C-alpha cells in the first residue's frame, strides 16, 4: 500500500467558508490503470480567478481523474457548473467543465477489474462518476477508493442540478450585471410593425401601457385581446389577426383550439403579395371528427383574403399538420384531431409525419452514444482505432466497417432533421411560389410548429438571416409564442416543480463499449425513473441544427457563422441568462426575469464587439446582395450531415474544427483587417504631416511678406533721409545720421558759444505702418548750425547776410524771424512740426 497522499495546505475556496474539504486519504493502487503520477503540490494559489461573477464553490474533490483524457486534477461543484481544474497545467479543462443545467443525467458506477491469474481471489474496483450532457458530451470521472469524495460530489450534484425553485438558479443569483435585459415586448411590437409595413413607428413601454400599439394595414391588424393573457396563457400579449375579425370572434375561436392557441399570423411579406404564414394548435374535433366552430372557420378563412384591384378575393389555403396522420387520428380519441378540408373552404390538408418529442429525445441519445463509441477519444479513455482490436473499424474484416455507419443511421437523428428541413422548405415554397397562405400546427402548437414556422421564416425573409433578425425570429416564434423551454431543457418553472434528473444505470448507454464489457462488470449504484417519462426533449437544439444545415447549403446568405450558433446554443443550455427560462412570456413576467437576470443577446453582442467584424461569430462569406430574397432549397439538397462544430467537438475535437478553407479565410481576413488599420493610421499620419507642411509654408510666406515690407520701408526711409539731409544742408546745417537711439540737433551760432544740441526720439513705426509712441527709433540725426563765418563763406550765406534785416546784430537762426518765413532764396518752405516728428512718411518741406 502506498503512503497516503499529503494533505494540501489550502483550498480554492475561502477558508472561512466552513464547508468540508475533501482530501485523498487513500492510495493510487486501485487506479493503476490511469498511469497518473501522484501530484503533491498545491494548486490553491490560483484562488478564485476562474470563478464567474457570483459563482461560489459548493464542494470539491482532489486527486480526481478525467477518464476521457487520462488527466488528473481537482473537481469543483459550484452553484453554476461542474469545474475540472488540471493539476498539470492549473487550467480549466473544457471537456470536464460543464454547466449544471447542461447535465442531462448522472450516476455512480463501480467497475470490477479482474486480477492477475495468480491472484484470482482478489479483485479491485474503479469508482466512477458518469456525467451525460445535453450537448453531446459523456464524461467519466474516476475517484480514489475509501475517500468518500465521489459520494460528496454526487450529493452536491443532486442538490444543485435540480433546484426546488426557479429563483435558486444561477441566473437569478448573478443578476443582470452589465448585460441588462430590456423588455422584449417592445422588440416584439417593432417586429410586428415591420411585418405590417409600419416600420416607421417605434414601439415603447408607454405605447404598451396605454394600448396604442393596435396598428393595422389593409388586411391585418394587431390585437390586444390577449394583453392580460386571458385568451391564451401561452401566447404573447399582442397578436396579428385578420383585420375583419373582431376581438369577440377571436375569443370565441380560442375555445375550439387546444390550449386556446388560435390561428394567428406569424409572418407576412412586408411589401409582397399578402400571403401569410400562420400557426395554431390542433382543433378539438373529437373522436368522430364532427365538431365544428363557425368562429374558427371564419378566422381561418380570413387568412386567405387577398385584395385584387381594390376587391377582396380568396387565395389557396394549405393546412400543414406536422404530425403523422395516424398520430393525428389518435389524438382524436382525446378530443383533438385535425381539420377536414370540407369544413375549410378552398383548403388542402397536408401531413408532414414528424415524430413527437419522445422520439426526438431517444434519437438524440442514440446519436450521442454512437459518437462516444466511435469517437477519437471516448468516455472510456480509448480511441475507436485501438479499442478491442479496432473492431469499430472492422478489425481484420474491413467489410464490417459499414456497421458503424448503419449505427449512425439507426439513431434516426439525421432523418428527423431532414424531415423538419423538407417540411419547412415545402411551406416556404407554397408561400413564395404560389402566393398561398399556410396554417401550421401540431398537437399543442409549440414544438414542431415552432420548428417549421421559424425555419420557413428564415428561408423567406433575409432579415432573419442577420444577427438582429435572428434575435427577432427566436424571440417571436419561440419565446413569445410559448415554447416550454423549462420543460424541454429540464429546469424548474414558475409553479415550483422541477425536472427530475434521472440518475439511472449506464448499462443501456454504455453497452456498446467493448472495454466495459471486457475489463470488468458494471455495478450501478443509483437508479431512478425512466427518462422517457419526462418532458425533456432537444427540440430547440434540433432546430438550431437545421439552421446550421441551411448555413452549410447557403454560406453567403447568413451574417452569422456556425461558431455563433454553437455559442448561442451553449448559452441556452447553460441557463446562465434569463431569456430562455420559464415556459411562456407570462411566466417570465411573473418571475421578473427581465429585471433580475442578464440578457443572452447583450452578452453575445459584447463578445462580438471585442474584435469587430473579424470575430468568429461573423460569417466571412456573407454577401447580402447575393441572397437578398428567399432561399428555397430543392429536395435533393436537403440531405443533412453531422454538424461538426457541435456534434463532434467532444468525441472528435480535431475533426470538429472549421474547415481549412474557412480557417485560412478567417486568418486572411484578420490580416487584412490589421493591414487596413495600419493603412488608416498611415493615412492619418500623412494627413497630419500635410497639414503641418501647409502651416509651415503659410508661416514662411508670411515671413517673406514681412521681410519684403521691411526692405521696402528701409529703402523708403533711406530715400527720405537723403532728402531731409539735402534740405537741411540747404539751410546751412550739418546733419549726421547715426544708429543711436536719439536724434541729436547741434546748433552753433558762433565759435565762442557752446553748441546747442537738441535730442529727439522719433516714434517707431509698427509692422503695419502705425506709429508706436513708446518705441524708440534706431535712427539718430545730428544737425549742427554752422557759425557765421562758415555761413558767410558760403554763397548762400552771403546772400542771406545781404538780405537779412538782422545782419548787423548777427544771425540768430533758427530763432530769428526769417526762419518762420518763406525763404525765397532757398526756394523751399520748412515744416518744423513735421521735422520735429521726424516721420519718414511725412513731407518735411513743401515747394513754394
Amino acid at each position: 500500500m502506498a503512503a497516503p497522499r499529503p494533505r494540501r495546505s489550502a483550498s480554492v475556496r475561502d477558508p472561512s467558508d466552513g464547508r468540508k474539504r475533501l482530501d485523498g486519504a487513500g492510495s493510487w493502487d486501485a487506479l493503476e490503470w490511469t498511469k497518473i503520477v501522484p501530484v503533491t503540490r498545491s494548486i490553491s494559489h490560483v484562488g478564485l480567478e476562474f470563478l464567474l461573477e457570483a459563482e461560489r464553490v459548493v464542494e470539491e474533490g482532489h486527486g480526481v481523474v478525467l477518464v476521457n483524457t487520462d488527466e488528473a486534477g481537482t473537481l469543483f461543484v459550484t452553484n453554476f457548473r461542474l469545474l475540472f481544474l488540471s493539476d498539470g497545467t492549473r487550467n480549466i479543462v473544457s471537456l470536464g467543465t460543464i454547466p449544471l443545467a447542461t447535465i442531462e443525467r448522472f450516476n455512480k458506477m463501480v467497475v470490477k477489474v479482474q486480477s492477475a491469474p495468480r491472484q484470482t481471489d482478489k479483485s479491485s474496483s474503479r469508482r466512477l462518476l458518469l456525467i451525460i450532457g445535453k450537448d453531446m458530451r459523456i464524461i467519466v470521472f474516476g475517484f480514489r477508493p475509501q475517500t468518500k469524495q465521489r459520494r460528496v460530489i454526487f450529493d452536491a450534484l443532486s442538490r444543485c442540478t435540480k433546484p426546488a425553485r426557479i429563483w435558486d438558479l444561477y441566473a437569478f443569483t448573478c443578476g443582470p450585471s452589465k448585460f441588462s435585459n430590456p423588455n422584449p415586448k417592445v422588440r416584439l411590437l417593432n417586429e410586428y410593425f415591420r411585418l405590417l409595413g409600419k416600420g416607421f413607428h417605434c414601439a415603447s413601454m408607454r405605447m404598451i401601457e396605454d394600448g396604442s400599439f393596435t396598428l393595422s394595414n389593409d388586411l391585418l391588424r394587431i390585437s390586444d385581446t390577449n394583453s392580460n393573457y386571458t385568451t391564451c396563457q401561452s401566447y404573447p400579449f399582442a397578436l396579428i389577426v385578420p383585420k375583419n375579425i373582431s376581438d369577440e370572434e377571436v375569443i370565441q375561436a380560442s375555445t375550439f383550439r387546444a390550449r386556446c392557441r388560435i390561428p394567428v399570423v406569424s409572418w407576412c411579406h412586408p411589401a409582397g403579395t399578402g400571403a401569410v404564414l400562420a400557426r395554431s394548435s390542433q382543433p378539438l374535433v373529437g373522436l368522430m371528427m364532427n365538431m365544428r366552430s363557425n368562429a374558427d372557420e371564419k378566422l381561418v378563412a380570413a387568412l386567405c383574403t387577398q385584395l385584387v384591384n381594390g376587391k377582396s378575393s380568396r387565395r389557396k389555403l394549405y393546412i400543414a399538420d406536422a404530425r403523422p396522420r395516424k398520430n393525428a387520428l389518435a389524438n382524436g380519441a382525446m378530443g383533438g384531431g385535425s381539420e377536414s378540408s370540407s369544413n375549410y373552404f378552398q383548403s388542402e390538408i397536408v401531413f408532414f409525419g414528424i415524430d413527437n418529442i419522445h422520439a426526438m429525445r431517444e434519437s438524440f441519445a442514440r446519436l450521442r452514444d454512437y459518437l462516444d463509441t466511435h469517437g477519437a477519444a471516448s468516455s472510456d479513455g480509448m480511441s475507436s482505432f485501438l479499442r478491442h482490436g479496432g473492431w469499430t473499424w472492422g478489425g481484420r474484416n474491413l467489410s464490417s466497417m459499414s456497421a458503424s455507419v448503419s449505427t449512425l443511421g439507426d439513431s434516426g437523428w439525421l432523418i428527423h432533421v431532414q424531415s423538419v428541413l423538407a417540411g419547412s422548405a415545402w411551406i416556404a415554397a407554397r408561400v413564395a411560389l404560389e402566393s398561398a397562405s399556410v396554417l401550421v400546427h401540431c398537437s399543442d402548437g409549440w414544438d414542431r410548429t415552432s420548428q417549421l414556422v421559424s425555419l420557413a421564416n428564415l428561408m423567406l425573409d433575409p432579415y432573419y438571416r442577420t444577427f438582429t433578425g435572428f434575435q427577432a425570429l427566436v424571440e417571436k416564434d419561440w419565446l413569445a409564442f410559448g415554447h416550454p423551454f423549462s420543460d424541454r431543457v429540464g429546469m424548474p418553472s414558475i409553479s415550483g416543480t422541477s425536472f427530475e434528473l434521472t440518475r439511472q444505470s449506464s448499462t443501456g448507454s454504455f453497452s456498446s463499449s467493448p472495454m466495459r464489457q471486457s475489463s470488468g462488470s458494471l455495478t450501478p449504484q443509483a437508479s431512478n425513473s425512466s427518462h422517457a417519462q419526462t418532458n425533456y426533449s432537444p427540440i430547440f437544439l434540433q432546430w438550431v441544427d437545421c439552421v446550421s444545415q441551411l448555413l452549410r447549403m447557403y454560406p453567403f446568405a447568413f451574417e452569422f457563422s456556425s461558431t455563433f450558433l454553437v455559442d448561442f446554443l451553449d448559452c441556452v443550455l447553460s441557463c446562465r441568462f434569463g431569456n430562455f427560462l420559464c415556459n411562456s412570456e407570462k411566466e417570465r413576467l411573473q418571475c421578473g426575469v427581465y429585471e433580475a437576470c442578464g440578457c443572452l443577446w447583450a452578452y453575445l453582442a459584447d463578445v462580438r464587439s471585442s474584435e469587430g467584424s473579424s470575430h468568429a461569430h461573423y460569417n466571412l462569406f456573407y454577401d447580402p446582395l447575393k441572397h437578398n430574397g428567399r432561399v428555397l432549397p430543392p429536395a435533393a439538397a436537403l440531405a443533412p450531415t453531422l454538424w461538426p462544430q457541435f456534434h463532434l467537438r467532444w468525441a472528435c475535437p480535431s475533426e470538429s474544427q472549421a474547415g481549412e478553407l474557412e480557417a485560412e479565410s478567417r486568418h486572411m481576413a484578420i490580416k487584412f483587417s490589421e493591414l487596413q488599420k495600419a493603412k488608416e493610421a498611415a493615412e492619418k499620419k500623412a494627413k497630419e504631416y500635410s497639414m503641418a507642411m501647409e502651416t509651415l509654408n503659410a508661416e514662411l510666406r508670411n515671413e517673406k511678406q514681412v521681410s519684403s515690407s521691411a526692405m521696402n520701408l528701409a529703402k523708403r526711409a533711406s530715400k527720405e533721409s537723403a532728402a531731409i539731409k539735402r534740405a537741411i544742408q540747404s539751410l546751412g546745417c550739418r546733419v549726421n545720421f547715426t544708429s543711436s537711439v536719439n536724434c541729436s540737433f547741434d546748433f552753433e551760432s558762433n565759435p565762442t558759444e557752446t553748441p546747442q544740441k537738441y535730442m529727439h526720439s522719433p516714434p517707431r513705426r509698427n509692422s503695419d505702418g502705425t506709429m508706436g509712441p513708446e518705441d524708440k527709433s534706431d535712427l539718430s540725426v545730428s544737425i549742427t548750425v554752422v557759425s557765421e563765418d562758415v555761413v558767410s563763406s558760403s554763397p548762400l550765406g552771403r546772400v542771406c547776410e545781404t538780405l537779412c534785416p538782422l545782419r548787423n546784430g548777427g544771425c540768430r537762426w533758427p530763432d530769428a524771424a526769417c526762419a518762420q518765413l518763406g525763404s525765397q532764396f532757398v526756394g523751399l518752405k520748412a515744416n518744423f512740426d513735421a521735422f520735429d516728428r521726424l516721420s519718414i512718411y511725412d513731407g518735411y518741406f513743401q515747394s513754394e
Side-chain angles (χ1 to χ4, degrees):
M1 180 72 70
R5 193 176 182 185
R7 295 181 62 88
R8 304 181 191 273
S9 58
S11 171
V12 173
R13 295 172 294 158
D14 190 344
S16 62
D17 193 341
R19 284 183 294 269
K20 182 179 178 180
R21 199 182 113 239
L22 296 174
D23 291 272
S27 68
W28 286 89
D29 293 348
L31 290 178
E32 57 186 4
W33 50 277
T34 61
K35 300 179 182 179
I36 294 295
V37 179
V39 180
T40 58
R41 55 179 164 74
S42 171
I43 61 171
S44 61
H45 63 276
V46 298
L48 303 176
E49 60 186 25
F50 292 119
L51 299 182
L52 301 175
E53 181 181 0
E55 185 180 11
R56 56 182 177 81
V57 176
V58 178
E59 293 292 352
E60 63 184 89
H62 299 279
V64 181
V65 175
L66 178 59
V67 178
N68 303 62
T69 59
D70 204 21
E71 188 172 5
T74 305
L75 186 63
F76 300 94
V77 179
T78 73
N79 60 335
F80 171 61
R81 55 184 169 170
L82 186 66
L83 191 151
F84 185 73
L85 199 64
S86 172
D87 279 351
T89 62
R90 301 191 299 277
N91 292 328
I92 292 179
V93 180
S94 298
L95 176 60
T97 300
I98 180 172
L100 300 179
T102 311
I103 298 176
E104 180 180 321
R105 61 183 185 268
F106 58 94
N107 64 280
K108 296 184 290 185
M109 297 188 307
V110 175
V111 180
K112 303 273 186 185
V113 182
Q114 295 180 357
S115 303
R118 296 182 180 180
Q119 300 177 348
T120 54
D121 57 332
K122 296 181 180 180
S123 64
S124 59
S125 61
R126 305 167 183 168
R127 286 163 173 78
L128 306 176
L129 178 62
L130 174 68
I131 306 293
I132 298 179
K134 304 168 187 174
D135 58 352
M136 309 300 298
R137 189 172 357 183
I138 298 179
I139 316 169
V140 176
F141 293 103
F143 296 82
R144 298 194 295 184
Q146 302 176 1
T147 60
K148 298 183 179 181
Q149 293 188 97
R150 186 181 61 164
R151 176 184 298 177
V152 175
I153 296 295
F154 182 84
D155 292 342
L157 287 176
S158 300
R159 296 191 308 269
C160 297
T161 54
K162 54 170 191 175
R165 305 181 311 156
I166 189 174
W167 296 278
D168 295 331
L169 291 174
Y170 172 76
F172 287 91
T173 304
C174 179
S177 184
K178 64 177 181 179
F179 308 117
S180 59
N181 190 4
N183 197 315
K185 286 185 174 183
V186 175
R187 297 195 293 270
L188 179 63
L189 283 182
N190 283 328
E191 176 61 14
Y192 282 176
F193 294 163
R194 187 187 74 88
L195 294 175
L196 296 183
K198 305 291 183 179
F200 51 88
H201 289 277
C202 185
S204 63
M205 287 303 300
R206 181 178 180 181
M207 182 181 293
I208 297 174
E209 293 170 357
D210 58 23
S212 59
F213 58 85
T214 55
L215 305 181
S216 64
N217 60 14
D218 295 336
L219 296 174
L220 303 172
R221 68 182 180 91
I222 301 175
S223 173
D224 62 351
T225 183
N226 199 43
S227 58
N228 295 323
Y229 307 101
T230 55
T231 303
C232 179
Q233 296 187 10
S234 58
Y235 263 10
F237 76 102
L239 304 171
I240 299 181
V241 297
K243 189 175 183 180
N244 60 344
I245 300 298
S246 64
D247 289 343
E248 291 75 15
E249 291 172 322
V250 170
I251 296 174
Q252 292 176 9
S254 66
T255 61
F256 187 69
R257 294 283 170 170
R259 303 184 187 273
C260 301
R261 295 174 67 88
I262 58 174
V264 293
V265 175
S266 172
W267 183 85
C268 61
H269 199 288
T273 61
V276 301
L277 178 56
R279 60 181 297 167
S280 69
S281 62
Q282 65 179 341
L284 303 179
V285 297
L287 179 61
M288 305 303 295
M289 299 186 66
N290 56 359
M291 302 296 294
R292 298 181 61 177
S293 170
N294 292 331
D296 183 80
E297 293 175 10
K298 181 179 180 181
L299 174 58
V300 173
L303 298 174
C304 308
T305 303
Q306 62 178 343
L307 295 177
V308 179
N309 298 325
K311 298 180 180 180
S312 62
S313 61
R314 298 285 297 275
R315 69 175 77 242
K316 181 67 178 291
L317 171 67
Y318 290 96
I319 300 178
D321 194 326
R323 303 166 293 179
R325 182 187 295 269
K326 61 179 181 179
N327 291 20
L329 296 176
N331 277 318
M334 296 179 290
S338 186
E339 295 87 351
S340 173
S341 58
S342 61
N343 297 334
Y344 296 87
F345 179 74
Q346 205 173 348
S347 65
E348 181 179 342
I349 314 298
V350 181
F351 293 92
F352 286 166
I354 302 175
D355 288 326
N356 59 21
I357 62 172
H358 308 293
M360 299 303 176
R361 178 177 61 246
E362 298 302 326
S363 176
F364 182 77
R366 289 193 296 269
L367 175 64
R368 181 174 52 206
D369 293 340
Y370 163 81
L371 294 175
D372 181 68
T373 301
H374 301 281
S378 302
S379 58
D380 58 8
M382 292 192 66
S383 170
S384 60
F385 291 99
L386 304 176
R387 186 186 302 118
H388 198 58
W391 74 271
T392 58
W393 288 98
R396 293 190 177 96
N397 185 7
L398 295 181
S399 62
S400 63
M401 289 179 62
S402 59
S404 62
V405 179
S406 64
T407 305
L408 173 61
D410 292 341
S411 70
W413 180 259
L414 296 182
I415 297 176
H416 294 315
V417 170
Q418 185 178 24
S419 298
V420 176
L421 283 170
S424 303
W426 186 92
I427 294 171
R430 302 288 77 76
V431 175
L433 302 180
E434 298 183 18
S435 298
S437 293
V438 181
L439 171 62
V440 184
H441 69 75
C442 51
S443 295
D444 295 321
W446 54 36
D447 289 313
R448 288 164 285 190
T449 300
S450 296
Q451 288 180 325
L452 293 169
V453 170
S454 57
L455 208 57
N457 285 347
L458 200 69
M459 296 177 185
L460 290 169
D461 198 334
Y463 171 69
Y464 293 135
R465 300 193 287 268
T466 65
F467 283 109
T468 305
F470 185 77
Q471 175 183 347
L473 177 65
V474 172
E475 289 188 323
K476 173 173 64 74
D477 281 307
W478 288 92
L479 293 171
F481 278 97
H483 175 69
F485 276 99
S486 286
D487 293 342
R488 299 298 179 259
V489 176
M491 284 291 108
S493 62
I494 186 64
S495 60
T497 59
S498 62
F499 168 70
E500 181 70 17
L501 284 172
T502 59
R503 301 184 297 276
Q504 56 187 185
S505 170
S506 62
T507 303
S509 300
F510 282 81
S511 59
S512 60
S513 175
M515 176 184 176
R516 295 185 180 88
Q517 294 175 355
S518 61
S519 61
S521 60
L522 290 174
T523 304
Q525 295 188 347
S527 179
N528 279 337
S529 59
S530 174
H531 201 36
Q533 297 176 2
T534 69
N535 288 323
Y536 162 74
S537 186
I539 298 300
F540 186 72
L541 185 153
Q542 187 180 58
W543 177 77
V544 178
D545 192 349
C546 293
V547 176
S548 73
Q549 303 293 337
L550 287 178
L551 176 58
R552 175 182 56 83
M553 287 185 278
Y554 301 98
F556 299 97
F558 292 82
E559 183 182 13
F560 46 84
S561 66
S562 182
T563 303
F564 165 78
L565 294 177
V566 174
D567 291 345
F568 166 68
L569 197 53
D570 283 343
C571 290
V572 173
L573 296 177
S574 69
C575 294
R576 179 181 174 183
F577 305 97
N579 304 74
F580 294 85
L581 298 180
C582 304
N583 289 326
S584 64
E585 180 181 277
K586 177 184 177 182
E587 289 187 4
R588 281 184 284 274
L589 288 174
Q590 291 176 340
C591 290
V593 166
Y594 307 127
E595 296 80 15
C597 303
C599 179
L600 178 148
W601 308 108
Y603 168 75
L604 293 177
D606 182 72
V607 170
R608 290 195 301 273
S609 64
S610 61
E611 299 180 19
S613 59
S614 62
H615 193 272
H617 285 183
Y618 285 90
N619 180 14
L620 295 176
F621 307 106
Y622 176 57
D623 185 0
L625 299 180
K626 187 169 184 178
H627 294 288
N628 60 351
R630 58 182 183 261
V631 291
L632 300 176
L638 295 177
T641 62
L642 288 178
W643 181 12
Q645 289 87 345
F646 184 80
H647 291 145
L648 303 180
R649 59 174 170 166
W650 305 118
C652 307
S654 59
E655 288 76 15
S656 67
Q657 303 301 320
E660 294 182 2
L661 178 61
E662 183 179 351
E664 185 64 24
S665 299
R666 189 169 299 280
H667 177 71
M668 293 177 61
I670 294 175
K671 297 295 291 184
F672 178 78
S673 178
E674 294 175 353
L675 292 175
Q676 191 73 16
K677 292 179 180 179
K679 177 186 175 183
E680 293 175 357
E683 291 178 348
K684 182 179 179 181
K685 204 71 175 176
K687 188 176 181 179
E688 293 177 356
Y689 288 153
S690 177
M691 294 177 62
M693 289 295 296
E694 291 179 359
T695 302
L696 291 175
N697 289 334
E699 293 178 354
L700 181 60
R701 288 192 297 269
N702 187 38
E703 290 293 334
K704 287 182 178 179
Q705 292 177 358
V706 172
S707 176
S708 177
S709 300
M711 291 294 295
N712 293 335
L713 291 176
K715 291 179 180 178
R716 185 172 179 180
S718 177
K719 292 179 180 179
E720 293 186 356
S721 298
I724 293 172
K725 182 176 181 180
R726 288 194 301 270
I728 294 177
Q729 285 179 350
S730 66
L731 298 177
C733 303
R734 279 201 309 270
V735 181
N736 295 323
F737 294 91
T738 64
S739 61
S740 60
V741 177
N742 298 322
C743 298
S744 174
F745 303 88
D746 296 337
F747 299 93
E748 297 178 1
S749 56
N750 54 64
T752 60
E753 294 181 357
T754 303
Q756 302 179 27
K757 294 184 178 181
Y758 296 88
M759 305 300 296
H760 177 70
S761 299
R764 185 176 180 179
R765 290 185 179 274
N766 296 328
S767 60
D768 58 355
T770 59
M771 301 297 296
E774 299 297 331
D775 296 337
K776 294 185 178 181
S777 174
D778 58 354
L779 177 66
S780 297
V781 182
S782 175
I783 304 176
T784 303
V785 181
V786 297
S787 61
E788 290 185 2
D789 298 338
V790 177
V791 174
S792 300
S793 62
S794 63
L796 292 175
R798 289 193 295 271
V799 172
C800 179
E801 184 178 5
T802 304
L803 299 177
C804 181
L806 303 175
R807 59 184 180 275
N808 294 330
C811 180
R812 294 184 176 84
W813 191 94
D815 296 330
C818 64
Q820 307 299 326
L821 302 175
S823 300
Q824 56 183 350
F825 55 85
V826 176
L828 297 173
K829 181 178 180 181
N831 187 345
F832 288 95
D833 292 336
F835 181 80
D836 290 339
R837 287 195 301 269
L838 288 178
S839 173
I840 61 176
Y841 286 101
D842 298 331
Y844 299 101
F845 302 97
Q846 299 176 357
S847 300
E848 287 286 351

